[in-house]
PDB file of all heavy atoms in Angstrom:
ATOM      1  N   ILE A 355      26.611 -28.780 -65.358  1.00 91.00           N
ATOM      2  CA  ILE A 355      26.895 -27.624 -64.383  1.00 91.00           C
ATOM      3  C   ILE A 355      27.252 -26.421 -65.242  1.00 91.00           C
ATOM      4  O   ILE A 355      27.678 -26.588 -66.447  1.00 91.00           O
ATOM      5  CB  ILE A 355      28.018 -27.998 -63.445  1.00 91.00           C
ATOM      6  CG1 ILE A 355      29.362 -28.281 -64.285  1.00 91.00           C
ATOM      7  CG2 ILE A 355      27.734 -29.177 -62.515  1.00 91.00           C
ATOM      8  CD1 ILE A 355      30.545 -28.475 -63.381  1.00 91.00           C
ATOM      9  N   GLN A 356      27.075 -25.374 -64.751  1.00 92.00           N
ATOM     10  CA  GLN A 356      27.314 -24.063 -65.444  1.00 92.00           C
ATOM     11  C   GLN A 356      28.726 -24.016 -66.000  1.00 92.00           C
ATOM     12  O   GLN A 356      29.710 -24.263 -65.342  1.00 92.00           O
ATOM     13  CB  GLN A 356      27.063 -22.873 -64.564  1.00 92.00           C
ATOM     14  CG  GLN A 356      27.092 -21.623 -65.122  1.00 92.00           C
ATOM     15  CD  GLN A 356      26.816 -20.423 -64.140  1.00 92.00           C
ATOM     16  OE1 GLN A 356      27.652 -20.261 -63.376  1.00 92.00           O
ATOM     17  NE2 GLN A 356      25.746 -19.810 -64.169  1.00 92.00           N
ATOM     18  N   GLY A 357      28.843 -23.709 -67.278  1.00 94.00           N
ATOM     19  CA  GLY A 357      30.229 -23.527 -67.958  1.00 94.00           C
ATOM     20  C   GLY A 357      30.949 -24.797 -68.210  1.00 94.00           C
ATOM     21  O   GLY A 357      32.203 -24.755 -68.454  1.00 94.00           O
ATOM     22  N   GLN A 358      30.289 -26.020 -68.106  1.00 94.00           N
ATOM     23  CA  GLN A 358      31.036 -27.187 -68.217  1.00 94.00           C
ATOM     24  C   GLN A 358      31.761 -27.379 -69.533  1.00 94.00           C
ATOM     25  O   GLN A 358      32.857 -28.009 -69.557  1.00 94.00           O
ATOM     26  CB  GLN A 358      30.130 -28.351 -67.987  1.00 94.00           C
ATOM     27  CG  GLN A 358      30.761 -29.770 -68.143  1.00 94.00           C
ATOM     28  CD  GLN A 358      29.927 -30.871 -67.578  1.00 94.00           C
ATOM     29  OE1 GLN A 358      29.401 -30.854 -66.453  1.00 94.00           O
ATOM     30  NE2 GLN A 358      29.690 -31.882 -68.463  1.00 94.00           N
ATOM     31  N   ASP A 359      31.243 -26.828 -70.527  1.00 96.00           N
ATOM     32  CA  ASP A 359      31.827 -26.976 -71.924  1.00 96.00           C
ATOM     33  C   ASP A 359      32.725 -25.738 -72.353  1.00 96.00           C
ATOM     34  O   ASP A 359      33.114 -25.657 -73.576  1.00 96.00           O
ATOM     35  CB  ASP A 359      30.776 -27.242 -72.842  1.00 96.00           C
ATOM     36  CG  ASP A 359      29.945 -28.480 -72.491  1.00 96.00           C
ATOM     37  OD1 ASP A 359      30.444 -29.568 -72.513  1.00 96.00           O
ATOM     38  OD2 ASP A 359      28.742 -28.211 -72.129  1.00 96.00           O
ATOM     39  N   THR A 360      32.918 -24.824 -71.420  1.00 96.00           N
ATOM     40  CA  THR A 360      33.671 -23.589 -71.860  1.00 96.00           C
ATOM     41  C   THR A 360      34.988 -23.862 -72.436  1.00 96.00           C
ATOM     42  O   THR A 360      35.205 -23.274 -73.726  1.00 96.00           O
ATOM     43  CB  THR A 360      33.813 -22.647 -70.585  1.00 96.00           C
ATOM     44  OG1 THR A 360      32.498 -22.438 -70.039  1.00 96.00           O
ATOM     45  CG2 THR A 360      34.446 -21.361 -70.951  1.00 96.00           C
ATOM     46  N   THR A 361      35.901 -24.553 -71.895  1.00 96.00           N
ATOM     47  CA  THR A 361      37.072 -24.855 -72.477  1.00 96.00           C
ATOM     48  C   THR A 361      37.094 -25.489 -73.831  1.00 96.00           C
ATOM     49  O   THR A 361      37.783 -25.031 -74.796  1.00 96.00           O
ATOM     50  CB  THR A 361      37.981 -25.664 -71.414  1.00 96.00           C
ATOM     51  OG1 THR A 361      38.082 -25.014 -70.194  1.00 96.00           O
ATOM     52  CG2 THR A 361      39.472 -25.878 -72.051  1.00 96.00           C
ATOM     53  N   GLU A 362      36.329 -26.483 -74.012  1.00 96.00           N
ATOM     54  CA  GLU A 362      36.111 -27.265 -75.195  1.00 96.00           C
ATOM     55  C   GLU A 362      35.788 -26.298 -76.363  1.00 96.00           C
ATOM     56  O   GLU A 362      36.245 -26.276 -77.420  1.00 96.00           O
ATOM     57  CB  GLU A 362      35.193 -28.404 -75.057  1.00 96.00           C
ATOM     58  CG  GLU A 362      34.878 -29.123 -76.308  1.00 96.00           C
ATOM     59  CD  GLU A 362      33.661 -29.984 -76.182  1.00 96.00           C
ATOM     60  OE1 GLU A 362      33.273 -30.410 -75.001  1.00 96.00           O
ATOM     61  OE2 GLU A 362      33.192 -30.482 -77.165  1.00 96.00           O
ATOM     62  N   ILE A 363      34.724 -25.460 -76.064  1.00 97.00           N
ATOM     63  CA  ILE A 363      34.200 -24.628 -77.077  1.00 97.00           C
ATOM     64  C   ILE A 363      35.329 -23.517 -77.458  1.00 97.00           C
ATOM     65  O   ILE A 363      35.468 -23.185 -78.602  1.00 97.00           O
ATOM     66  CB  ILE A 363      32.975 -23.980 -76.594  1.00 97.00           C
ATOM     67  CG1 ILE A 363      31.846 -25.119 -76.495  1.00 97.00           C
ATOM     68  CG2 ILE A 363      32.452 -22.856 -77.544  1.00 97.00           C
ATOM     69  CD1 ILE A 363      30.601 -24.660 -75.663  1.00 97.00           C
ATOM     70  N   LEU A 364      35.936 -22.888 -76.446  1.00 97.00           N
ATOM     71  CA  LEU A 364      36.901 -21.846 -76.703  1.00 97.00           C
ATOM     72  C   LEU A 364      38.088 -22.480 -77.539  1.00 97.00           C
ATOM     73  O   LEU A 364      38.595 -21.826 -78.528  1.00 97.00           O
ATOM     74  CB  LEU A 364      37.352 -21.320 -75.425  1.00 97.00           C
ATOM     75  CG  LEU A 364      36.419 -20.475 -74.663  1.00 97.00           C
ATOM     76  CD1 LEU A 364      37.062 -19.918 -73.364  1.00 97.00           C
ATOM     77  CD2 LEU A 364      35.840 -19.311 -75.459  1.00 97.00           C
ATOM     78  N   LYS A 365      38.480 -23.677 -77.224  1.00 96.00           N
ATOM     79  CA  LYS A 365      39.547 -24.334 -78.001  1.00 96.00           C
ATOM     80  C   LYS A 365      39.070 -24.522 -79.511  1.00 96.00           C
ATOM     81  O   LYS A 365      39.922 -24.435 -80.444  1.00 96.00           O
ATOM     82  CB  LYS A 365      40.009 -25.669 -77.360  1.00 96.00           C
ATOM     83  CG  LYS A 365      40.853 -25.436 -76.116  1.00 96.00           C
ATOM     84  CD  LYS A 365      41.357 -26.760 -75.619  1.00 96.00           C
ATOM     85  CE  LYS A 365      42.352 -26.625 -74.452  1.00 96.00           C
ATOM     86  NZ  LYS A 365      42.855 -27.815 -73.943  1.00 96.00           N
ATOM     87  N   GLY A 366      37.756 -24.840 -79.580  1.00 96.00           N
ATOM     88  CA  GLY A 366      37.337 -25.056 -80.878  1.00 96.00           C
ATOM     89  C   GLY A 366      37.234 -23.776 -81.765  1.00 96.00           C
ATOM     90  O   GLY A 366      37.219 -23.786 -83.038  1.00 96.00           O
TER      91      GLY A 366
END
Side-chain angles (χ1 to χ4, degrees):
I355 62 173
Q356 188 181 70
Q358 179 166 306
D359 306 290
T360 302
T361 300
E362 175 192 342
I363 292 164
L364 293 178
K365 286 185 175 182

